[in-house]
Amino acid sequence: MSTASAQGLQASEWWRSAAIYQIYPRSFADSNGDGMGDLPGIRARLAQLENLYLDAIWLSPFYASPQRDAGYDVSDYCSVDPLFGTLDDFDALLAEAHRLGLRVLIDLVPNHTSSDHEWFKAAVAAGPGSEERTHFLFRDGRGANGDEPPNNWQSVFGGSAWERLTAPDGSPEQWYLHLFDVSQPDLDWTSEWVREQFREILRFWLRRGVDGFRVDVAHGLVKKAGLPDYTPPPADDTASMTAPGDVPYWGQPGVHEIYRDWHAIVTSFGVDRILCAEAWVDPLSKLADWVRPDEMQQAFNFRFLGAAWSAPDIRSAIVDSLEAFEAVGAVATWVLSNHDVIRHASRLGLNPPPPQGTGIGPKTIPKPDAVLGLRRARAETLMMLALPGGAYLYQGEELGLPEDTEIPDSARQDPSFFRNPAKGHYGRDGCRVPIPWEADAPAYGFSPSGASWLPQPKQWARFARDRQPAPQEPHEFAGNTHTLSLYSRALELRRLGQLGLGKLTWLDGFGDDVIAFRCASVREITVISNLGTSPIRLPAGEPLIFSERPWLDEPMRELPPDTTIWMTASTLTK
Ligand code: TEU
């Protein structure tokens, strides 16, 4: 890894401008041929990310788990699932990442455990009224025989958010809350015992040397007292997305006390250790509460991810983000893809895309326009990488990977698919397919045996990393035919110019369909994205990088639709 990134390890407040790459361990690299990615696989492949000029990686869960929700159902927070390796493998991966100048964030899943967790098993065994039951949200049912759920809450994955236990003698028992799968019982965060367990979990990993945590469902831990009924507005039919107003299970004010507590613990291990919130909270001014000075350092910006392919919508997402985060002294983050959403190379090829979580499958009509989707994805990524703040990337997007839209029902794994028997809800497997490394190797190099826990599409050889060689000379970047070289060059310029620390100034006069701004930092650049349907005239200035080739020959000098360009900002006249 470059010296610059190694130096980055000493930098304070590194997250303010970091490029952070999400590794989904199941699908990155499999070392032992069982078709499931693992920690030794990640360690072996990590150096191959060198040309992305990353500052950190975030690892999705690799803890002991029955894998009912791909590891977001944790049965032991302080051990590695044998599927992924051992704690020694984790230590070796952490050491390798640090050697390469990469910080490591791991996933913390505090809203719920797995129903296989000892805490939950003990609570079930101990029975109603026991101390153990106070660690989770057990309640008696409503109705004469208690056979109606305690309230009307719906699971994010579909169906009731309550499940009824059956006593050993076969009689019906209490209900427990699960905002996600039935195998993911929600913890009760009013319990001091629960709070203490998580303090210890944080310390366990911090002592091992992790640089921070991405906090799963960071808007859900605290539920409104009394667990009152709640009916989401009709538009929010999945209950999964942010809902405005007072939702009794999302964004309750009590969560902040927990994050203040964690902030103190995490930073006591060093001021460069961080927390990043996965909080689906709307509006941004409310999300900013998660990143107040004594809470988390970052929060994912789902408003940006969810923006339509429309200059006014994206512009307002950027304006509102910068304003909201700045107001509390935090930095904005930017993200376009992760393991829960349709990959943006496909999402942007559908107008409108299906709601988050629905996914795309063999029977979805229409299918994304792959060419248009990738073109827009490259344009929006290039815009994103010039924005001030932290940027999150999801493994495979640097290869231009689309969503896999053809996974047969028989191969699907996402629990949300199984909880929504209604046709058309495919869930999130399409963005989780193991990524291609070498075009001609078994499983495209993902696994030595050719096995893959989700089937890989037949046409993915062209996306393989080894089919996207890095240009040798700077001028060869001009074409940017490969998505990987676009990412590589943009991330290099971002690093060299410290664009993440830059100040953004909007440029007027380009029309409503254009996003145009100047980013001033060590280097000053002009960024122009054409989201309209006709070419626009480019100002004077040297092109630095572009998502697709513009027409630069005089008298043309035009930026085609669905394209972004970075230019030197020296002579900005139209
Ligand atoms: O996701 C939380 C969440 O609310 C959504 O992203 C959710 O996955 C989506 O709305 C479903 O359609 C986090 C994790 O990122 C996700 O993978 C887990 O399944 C979920 O928590 C439960 O732990």
Side-chain angles (χ1 to χ4, degrees), residues 69 72 112 156-157 180 184 214 216-217 240 278 280 339-340 356-357 428 432:
D69 184 22
Y72 281 93
H112 44 263
V156 173
F157 290 164
F180 293 88
Q184 293 166 299
R214 172 264 189 194
D216 191 61
V217 195
S240 65
E278 189 228 15
W280 295 80
H339 66 292
D340 289 331
Q356 191 264 331
R428 302 161 295 172
R432 299 176 175 182

Side-chain angles (χ1 to χ4, degrees), residues 22 24 58 60 69-70 72-73 107 109 111-112 156-157 180-181 184 214 216-217 219 238-241 250 278 280 302 338-341 356-358 414-416 425 427-428 432:
Q22 179 187 358
Y24 194 66
W58 147 37
S60 280
D69 184 22
Y72 281 93
D73 50 324
D107 223 303
V109 189
N111 180 68
H112 44 263
V156 173
F157 290 164
F180 293 88
D181 190 54
Q184 293 166 299
R214 172 264 189 194
D216 191 61
V217 195
H219 55 318
T238 64
S240 65
M241 299 296 279
W250 295 149
E278 189 228 15
W280 295 80
F302 294 126
N338 66 32
H339 66 292
D340 289 331
V341 303
Q356 191 264 331
T358 303
D414 183 352
S416 80
H425 184 106
R428 302 161 295 172
R432 299 176 175 182

Side-chain angles (χ1 to χ4, degrees), residues 445-488:
F446 164 68
S447 167
S449 68
S452 174
W453 70 279
L454 281 172
Q456 295 169 300
K458 292 209 167 55
Q459 326 72 12
W460 272 18
R462 67 199 165 97
F463 295 108
R465 204 167 295 260
D466 72 344
R467 287 275 172 94
Q468 305 193 40
Q472 298 304 306
E473 300 295 332
H475 69 265
E476 292 177 28
F477 282 104
N480 291 324
T481 49
H482 297 307
T483 302
L484 184 57
S485 40
L486 175 72
Y487 271 71
S488 174

